[in-house]
Amino acid sequence: MREHGGNLDLAQQRFGGRAEDWIDLSTGINRLPYPVGEVSARAWSALPSRAEIETLHQAARHAYHTSAPLVAMGGAQAAIQLLPQLAVPGRACILTPTYNEYAGVLSAAGWNVQEVAQLDALAGADLTIVVNPNNPDGRSFAPEDLLALLPRVGRLIVDESFVDAVPHLSLAPEADRSGLLILRSFGKFYGLAGLRLGFAIGNAADIGKLAAASGPWPVSGAAIAIGSRALRDDAWAEATSARLVRDCVRLDEMARGQGWTLVGGAPLFRLYETPDALAAQEKLARSHVWSRVFAKEPTWLRLGLPGSEAEWMRLAEILAR
């Protein structure tokens, strides 16, 4: 299994404690999630209808400011698993360092995968992957720069899993262009990763293929009910985006107090350069705060943002020791 955040079971094996004793900052998931509210008994007991799924799709178009075809899926990861089915294997270029599932999924499907460090180096590939903002370093690209790349590649996949709080970066309004496919995560910004909900947005041909591969019930009734409600709650989204910006500043200030240097980040996570990331991770873990380190970058430490004020105070106390 590839390396990911959210591996709290490993933290518990090494440092003890129950899951509820931990503050898991190893992911970029909002720790103040959208209030779920009531979910009808029917959402749990009945198969989702076409009309209910379309209601969710319309809510997603509203939230993402697009009129393009889209399909709900079991998280952005479900869409990643199906990407090889969009075309016969060829040369795939991935802008790295980034989320490591893309290379693994494409390689397993027979694609010739190349990792590149600059946007221009993607040109000429049959399929290209750009995560915007990028995970883990927060690198971002203006929509016009990505659109300029589009005619130079066979298909451009833009993963916008962390774009909700910086919507000016999103290409969702342009997603019906030939060769462009946008992936969106619901669970990260809305803090409901366990719901397993995400979307692929693109032209009719690509979305038709993904919808057919996903089957008639790609998401649960509960995901439809909660997602339809949350994606139309503009006030919550605006307030949350503003809070995340403030919280990034707060966490960066705490990191500076440790002598850590900001490498980059997005409104749901920060990446720091440290003298020894494993030592920093262990210091936090001894007090049951879990973080993310990277085998290929031994000085990088990634932290999600604490949620409640109690979590912020606890983190401050640990770092002050």
Side-chain angles (χ1 to χ4, degrees):
M1 185 173 180
R2 286 176 280 275
E3 179 186 71
H4 295 292
N7 52 346
L8 194 58
D9 52 345
L10 298 181
Q12 290 175 259
Q13 291 172 17
R14 290 178 57 193
F15 300 99
R18 304 166 299 167
E20 54 267 33
D21 298 329
W22 285 79
I23 302 174
D24 187 2
L25 304 183
S26 69
T27 73
I29 297 168
N30 184 359
R31 289 190 61 81
L32 290 179
Y34 184 81
V36 171
E38 293 293 326
V39 178
S40 70
R42 186 185 184 286
W44 296 107
S45 61
L47 287 172
S49 69
R50 290 180 181 271
E52 289 166 335
I53 294 174
E54 182 54 30
T55 296
L56 174 62
H57 287 172
Q58 291 296 342
R61 290 189 182 98
H62 168 83
Y64 303 148
H65 306 288
T66 186
S67 59
L70 56 76
V71 59
M73 311 185 81
Q77 183 62 46
I80 294 171
Q81 299 296 138
L82 296 179
L83 289 181
Q85 299 189 28
L86 292 178
V88 296
R91 185 166 70 93
C93 278
I94 303 174
L95 193 65
T96 57
T98 196
Y99 184 56
N100 60 24
E101 285 292 326
Y102 284 102
V105 167
L106 291 167
S107 294
W111 285 76
N112 173 19
V113 176
Q114 299 176 359
E115 298 183 345
V116 301
Q118 299 299 324
L119 196 65
D120 284 345
L122 297 170
D126 301 300
L127 185 146
T128 56
I129 307 291
V130 178
V131 180
N132 191 40
N134 188 45
N135 171 23
D137 60 7
R139 186 182 183 187
S140 63
F141 298 94
E144 55 267 27
D145 292 335
L146 295 176
L147 289 176
L149 177 66
L150 187 57
R152 304 165 65 196
V153 300
R155 180 176 276 102
L156 173 61
I157 312 294
V158 183
D159 183 332
E160 296 186 345
S161 291
F162 290 101
V163 85
D164 296 74
V166 282
H168 64 280
L169 294 177
S170 177
L171 272 176
E174 307 288 340
D176 57 354
R177 295 184 182 225
S178 178
L180 178 62
L181 184 70
I182 308 299
L183 306 185
R184 295 291 293 249
S185 167
F186 174 85
K188 294 178 177 65
F189 179 72
Y190 290 91
L192 298 171
L195 203 61
R196 305 312 305 138
L197 178 60
F199 299 89
I201 316 170
N203 62 74
D206 283 352
I207 296 304
K209 289 180 182 178
L210 293 175
S214 299
W217 305 289
V219 292
S220 70
I224 292 170
I226 296 167
S228 297
R229 186 184 309 155
L231 288 164
R232 288 194 177 276
D233 195 338
D234 297 338
W236 185 91
E238 291 171 5
T240 297
S241 296
R243 173 183 61 80
L244 292 172
V245 171
R246 295 192 301 269
D247 285 352
C248 285
V249 174
R250 185 176 184 181
L251 188 58
D252 290 346
E253 290 175 349
M254 293 170 68
R256 277 195 296 273
Q258 297 296 302
W260 302 343
T261 303
L262 180 68
V263 176
L268 282 168
F269 64 85
R270 315 303 281 168
L271 181 68
Y272 301 109
E273 181 86 21
T274 73
D276 183 338
L278 282 174
Q281 183 186 54
E282 183 169 342
K283 174 183 178 178
L284 293 168
R286 285 197 298 268
S287 297
H288 293 163
V289 173
W290 194 227
S291 56
R292 174 81 190 274
V293 295
F294 301 86
K296 294 182 179 180
E297 298 287 349
T299 61
W300 281 7
L301 180 79
R302 195 189 71 183
L303 290 174
L305 303 179
S308 67
E309 186 60 26
E311 289 187 355
W312 280 100
M313 295 302 296
R314 182 170 152 193
L315 179 61
E317 291 170 2
I318 295 167
L319 292 176
R321 293 172 191 165

